[in-house]
Amino acid sequence: MKKITITFTILGLLCLLSCKESGNKKIAKPSKKPNIVFIMSDDHAYQAISAYDDRLIQTPNIDRIAEEGMLFTNASVTNSICAPSRAVILTGKHSHLNGKIDNRMPFDTTNVTFPQLLQKSGYQTAMFGKLHFGNNPKGFDEFKILPGQGDYYNPKFITSTGDTTITGYVTDIITDLTLDWMQKRRDTAQPFLLMYLHKAPHRTWLPAQRHYTEFTKKSFPLPETLFDTYETRGTAAKTAEMGILKEMQLRYDNKLTQAVTDALKVEDKYKWSPLDRMTPEQRTAWDATYGPISEQFKKDYPNMNDSTLTVWKYQRYMQDYLATIAAVDENVGRLLDYMDETGLDENTLVVYTSDQGFYLGEHGWFDKRFMYNESFKTPLLIKWPNVITPGTTTTEMVQNLDFAQTFLEIAGVTPTDDMQGESLVPLLKGEKEKWDRDAVYYHYYEYPAVHAVKRHYGIATEDYKLMHFYYNVDEWELYDRKNDPQEVKNVYDDPNYATVVTELKEKLKGLRAKYKDSDDLSNQYIQIYKDNGWIE
């Protein structure tokens, strides 16, 4: 009996020491392969993450990923529009090869996606939130996804067993569904891939009720280029239809009541209201905050000029856009806390990104599409305990094209031969000498279409960006990214940059060949537009 008592005493002490060292959290038995948590929001500008820029909002939970891992300052997309970006992420192939060049074209389901490969290799896979194309994503053991754009309030979800509508706020609900799967249906014997995908902060920017009062009282600094005149640029910037003054809608976007817009004889482009799905109780809470804003605008409007109206619309835009991000940040915190408390964080790669960047008034715009920085660059924060040195920043040129091969290498899975990205693993391990990319390729197709951003392709390095606008124009633009970070001066015709133009055109030609893009392929997609009656 004495020996038994001593044995139990020693075991008890070891348990106490173990609990003390682990912060009294339950330690999940790690799987041999790392888990992967991929968090993506829709249209989340890097300027609206305080790890990048703290002038607009504080995002302490998203920032945690950078503090515990790596912040990428030159991450970009290959095609700045929602569904094509997601197709690039899933397939590891540029839009011209996976076929999803824009939001109109259907996704070719014969494409092999990285979740399919992970699932086949033994990963448990789940997706919750916004996919934006297709109702039956391949490679997932469980999914609950929004149909198309989805709704902020009381959203419908598509599942493998049918549709369901859930009452509440979409960002909270997506997190509830994610945590429910983590807690109840995750197989602890398998490594897992979790895709946790937020609708916010996509237009029309409906905040959660808890953020109404705080954010509608805030005022935000104006972007230096809010009143950009596009002096040195060509047709594309001057004819785009995403201006805060002209294209942002007072009722649909800025949330004025129809009674006020009718009284002021202001015509809204969109006839439906994003508030229509609210319950009577939700609408009452909304009206209590937003009704007085409408009435005050009604009084002020007769004395507004273009400048004061632009500023007013910008402030209303920022109040709602940033309020939706506040809810995203809170919910990212909920997921990170759960992982910390259960010990899952110890063997899990966590990624936070967006499907592209977004204009927050820069150049007078909202939306995305262009290769100019605010829409071309995307936030990217990654943590991987015991691999990434916490608090690391990298300026390397990386793209959403690289995610598939990164996740596959981490999982020890061979990518398909047609994947075009490069694994980020050397950068994550601090082995920059193994990373040899110095330029990235971009191609945007959706024109003519909403926002009227012309088709263009281009190349970007850390120092320069060269773009070619085509189809119904033939115009080139060059920007010195180091000396003109706001990209307001096109120096394509400046003789001082003649050598740069020559070198970049040659490099661009090489990238197009490498990625199997060409003018012939562009013309084939233009013909598809014509065949479908989208253009004459």
Side-chain angles (χ1 to χ4, degrees):
M1 291 297 293
K2 199 170 190 182
K3 287 182 182 177
I4 293 173
T5 303
I6 291 170
T7 301
F8 276 114
T9 302
I10 291 170
L11 288 172
L13 285 169
L14 288 172
C15 180
L16 285 171
L17 286 170
S18 174
C19 291
K20 186 176 180 181
E21 287 176 3
S22 64
N24 295 317
K25 69 182 179 182
K26 289 190 207 172
I27 300 298
K29 186 179 180 180
S31 57
K32 290 181 181 178
K33 293 183 177 182
N35 307 306
I36 300 166
V37 173
F38 182 77
I39 310 171
M40 184 165 70
S41 296
D42 195 312
D43 292 344
H44 192 170
Y46 64 88
Q47 314 93 285
I49 294 176
S50 49
Y52 287 97
D53 190 334
D54 63 2
R55 288 175 293 178
L56 291 175
I57 190 172
Q58 294 295 320
T59 52
N61 293 298
I62 296 171
D63 291 358
R64 281 165 60 184
I65 301 171
E67 290 161 5
E68 298 173 18
M70 182 175 287
L71 181 76
F72 291 78
T73 60
N74 259 323
S76 64
V77 295
T78 62
N79 183 358
S80 184
I81 188 165
C82 299
S85 178
R86 294 158 190 266
V88 168
I89 289 169
L90 288 170
T91 64
K93 297 189 290 188
H94 275 277
S95 301
H96 58 271
L97 288 192
N98 69 48
K100 186 66 179 166
I101 62 166
D102 58 23
N103 283 337
R104 288 169 163 169
M105 297 285 283
F107 178 66
D108 180 356
T109 55
T110 65
N111 280 299
V112 175
T113 66
F114 81 82
Q116 289 175 269
L117 298 176
L118 289 179
Q119 185 187 51
K120 189 176 178 181
S121 76
Y123 269 70
Q124 188 179 15
T125 56
M127 174 188 285
F128 302 100
K130 181 176 178 180
L131 174 60
H132 197 192
F133 64 85
N135 294 343
N136 188 23
K138 288 184 176 181
F140 290 95
D141 301 316
E142 181 174 334
F143 63 86
K144 289 184 175 66
I145 56 174
L146 298 165
Q149 293 289 1
D151 294 288
Y152 273 101
Y153 278 85
N154 312 317
K156 183 167 77 172
F157 285 86
I158 298 166
T159 76
S160 58
T161 56
D163 296 351
T164 183
T165 297
I166 304 176
T167 301
Y169 185 65
V170 68
T171 308
D172 302 335
I173 293 168
I174 290 169
T175 310
D176 291 342
L177 296 173
T178 299
L179 289 173
D180 182 69
W181 177 82
M182 293 277 276
Q183 294 164 349
K184 298 177 183 177
R185 287 179 305 288
R186 180 177 61 82
D187 184 346
T188 56
Q190 285 182 277
F192 66 85
L193 164 69
L194 168 65
M195 298 192 78
Y196 167 53
L197 311 173
H198 284 294
K199 169 186 172 56
H202 194 279
R203 192 182 190 188
T204 55
W205 318 301
L206 299 190
Q209 182 181 334
R210 61 186 178 273
H211 295 131
Y212 292 171
T213 304
E214 176 190 356
F215 278 84
T216 55
K217 294 183 183 301
K218 286 180 178 283
S219 183
F220 300 94
L222 303 182
E224 290 181 39
T225 59
L226 180 62
F227 297 102
D228 195 342
T229 58
Y230 321 117
E231 233 173 285
T232 67
R233 272 166 286 189
T235 310
K238 294 171 183 173
T239 58
E241 297 174 358
M242 52 193 206
I244 286 177
L245 176 62
K246 292 183 179 179
E247 279 78 41
M248 185 169 276
Q249 307 293 296
L250 283 168
R251 184 170 67 91
Y252 181 77
D253 292 315
N254 295 137
K255 318 304 190 309
L256 294 185
T257 63
Q258 186 167 352
V260 165
T261 56
D262 287 350
L264 295 174
K265 296 183 170 52
V266 176
E267 187 69 23
D268 236 43
K269 180 179 180 180
Y270 302 106
K271 303 303 178 187
W272 65 278
S273 169
L275 309 178
D276 289 344
R277 289 186 67 85
M278 287 185 171
T279 65
E281 293 78 14
Q282 290 166 343
R283 187 59 189 264
T284 297
W286 177 276
D287 289 344
T289 297
Y290 286 83
I293 293 172
S294 289
E295 293 304 318
Q296 186 61 49
F297 180 84
K298 184 178 177 182
K299 294 176 186 176
D300 296 339
Y301 182 69
N303 298 316
M304 287 183 174
N305 56 32
D306 283 354
S307 293
T308 53
L309 180 57
T310 298
V311 171
W312 183 89
K313 293 175 88 171
Y314 166 77
Q315 294 294 351
R316 280 294 308 114
Y317 167 37
M318 284 298 91
Q319 288 166 356
D320 290 343
Y321 177 92
L322 294 169
T324 69
I325 288 173
V328 170
D329 187 68
E330 291 168 350
N331 279 281
V332 168
R334 289 175 62 197
L335 179 60
L336 294 179
D337 287 348
Y338 173 79
M339 292 173 62
D340 287 352
E341 289 162 6
T342 56
L344 279 171
D345 60 311
E346 296 295 333
N347 191 40
T348 302
L349 177 96
V350 178
V351 175
Y352 186 90
T353 191
S354 177
D355 50 357
Q356 63 264 316
F358 212 68
Y359 292 102
L360 305 185
E362 298 89 0
H363 310 296
W365 292 330
F366 66 102
D367 208 71
K368 57 251 184 182
R369 291 171 166 78
F370 274 115
M371 197 185 175
Y372 302 127
N373 263 352
E374 289 80 10
S375 59
F376 170 65
K377 288 175 64 173
T378 190
L380 180 59
L381 307 84
I382 303 179
K383 79 182 188 88
W384 189 7
N386 304 312
V387 177
I388 297 176
T389 302
T392 305
T393 298
T394 183
T395 63
E396 300 295 332
M397 305 295 294
V398 305
Q399 286 192 295
N400 56 353
L401 183 71
D402 302 323
F403 294 158
Q405 282 171 262
T406 302
F407 300 148
L408 292 173
E409 180 174 344
I410 286 168
V413 177
T414 303
T416 58
D417 291 338
D418 58 354
M419 286 186 174
Q420 297 180 304
E422 295 181 30
S423 170
L424 302 177
V425 169
L427 294 178
L428 303 182
K429 291 183 174 180
E431 299 169 347
K432 285 191 177 183
E433 69 280 0
K434 295 182 180 179
W435 182 263
D436 60 359
R437 181 195 287 157
D438 62 355
V440 294
Y441 181 63
Y442 180 88
H443 198 154
Y444 173 80
Y445 300 84
E446 193 173 280
Y447 179 89
V450 64
H451 296 303
V453 172
K454 294 187 182 298
R455 296 172 185 239
H456 60 292
Y457 59 83
I459 181 174
T461 68
E462 285 196 40
D463 294 327
Y464 299 104
K465 185 183 295 177
L466 179 70
M467 295 179 273
H468 180 218
F469 294 90
Y470 69 96
Y471 167 60
N472 62 348
V473 293
D474 181 9
E475 297 175 350
W476 290 84
E477 295 181 8
L478 173 69
Y479 294 93
D480 185 330
R481 300 184 73 198
K482 292 291 175 68
N483 294 311
D484 178 24
Q486 294 180 332
E487 297 177 328
V488 294
K489 188 179 181 183
N490 172 21
V491 293
Y492 180 77
D493 292 320
D494 186 333
N496 294 317
Y497 288 87
T499 302
V500 174
V501 169
T502 301
E503 291 175 352
L504 283 180
K505 280 191 173 180
E506 190 62 28
K507 202 172 186 70
L508 176 58
K509 182 180 177 182
L511 279 184
R512 298 195 85 197
K514 174 183 176 180
Y515 293 125
K516 301 178 182 178
D517 198 8
S518 66
D519 290 344
D520 286 344
L521 195 51
S522 297
N523 289 332
Q524 288 177 34
Y525 282 120
I526 289 169
Q527 188 60 49
I528 292 172
Y529 261 57
K530 290 178 179 179
D531 293 344
N532 281 282
W534 299 333
I535 57 178
E536 294 181 0

